[in-house]
Amino acid sequence: IMETPMKKITPNIMVADVNATVDYYKNNLNFQIVMGVNEQKEVKMGDSATGSALTWAMIKNGDVEIMLQREDSMIEELPEFKGLKIGGTFTLYISMQDVKTFYGKIKDKVEIVKDMHKTFYGADEFVIKDLNGYIVYFAETQNG
């Protein structure tokens, strides 16, 4: 079999309200909006995207990108999602630098489900639940 190296993974998560989710990640976790698609299927770049009701958006912080898609839009695209609960049975695991400082800045603005701690493998990490119920880990390992 010929090797086909994969480049990266970008989750596309189903949300109830794309605009509210963009605001949450922007205001609490320092993400920026890269682009959005409104109900008229117009692509808007950067902050200009937040001027209308979005059905999809991409947000970014450093090298971490997350796509957000409104529930009705995702079900239209993938009918298999009909009746599934928003929130997922997976976690987002974000590696970062200076996690303790980041924790100090956001801990009073988000729902912490696991406080800052040292893992058995030596990472400093904490865990939040976002406004849609998704679990997000933030971790810093000794080797970066």
Side-chain angles (χ1 to χ4, degrees):
I1 294 177
M2 184 168 52
E3 269 193 51
T4 307
M6 296 182 188
K7 297 195 179 209
K8 68 177 185 172
I9 186 169
T10 307
N12 184 29
I13 61 177
M14 184 167 69
V15 301
D17 183 325
V18 174
N19 296 71
T21 305
V22 167
D23 288 345
Y24 175 91
Y25 277 81
K26 191 174 179 180
N27 297 332
N28 298 314
L29 305 173
N30 206 32
F31 276 74
Q32 300 304 314
I33 184 164
V34 177
M35 70 174 83
V37 175
N38 64 22
E39 292 175 332
Q40 291 74 44
K41 302 214 182 313
E42 299 168 322
V43 176
K44 304 280 189 176
M45 302 306 289
D47 286 329
S48 69
T50 57
S52 58
L54 298 175
T55 59
W56 180 91
M58 178 178 281
I59 56 175
K60 181 175 181 146
N61 181 330
D63 291 331
V64 174
E65 294 176 336
I66 302 171
M67 296 183 289
L68 313 167
Q69 190 163 352
R70 202 169 69 191
E71 184 177 19
D72 60 328
S73 169
M74 189 169 273
I75 290 168
E76 182 182 328
E77 189 176 319
L78 296 167
E80 296 83 358
F81 277 77
K82 188 169 179 64
L84 296 182
K85 183 180 172 206
I86 292 175
T89 56
F90 70 97
T91 63
L92 300 173
Y93 186 92
I94 299 175
S95 298
M96 63 181 299
Q97 294 179 322
D98 208 9
V99 72
K100 288 181 178 176
T101 301
F102 184 66
Y103 173 79
K105 288 180 180 172
I106 73 163
K107 66 181 173 62
D108 296 326
K109 300 196 281 184
V110 299
E111 182 181 348
I112 302 287
V113 294
K114 202 166 190 185
D115 283 314
M116 178 63 68
H117 64 282
K118 180 79 76 180
T119 67
F120 71 91
Y121 51 89
D124 291 317
E125 76 176 27
F126 69 97
V127 186
I128 71 164
K129 183 190 288 187
D130 81 0
L131 75 167
N132 293 289
Y134 290 101
I135 301 296
V136 185
Y137 283 74
F138 295 93
E140 180 176 12
T141 57
Q142 302 314 315
N143 56 7

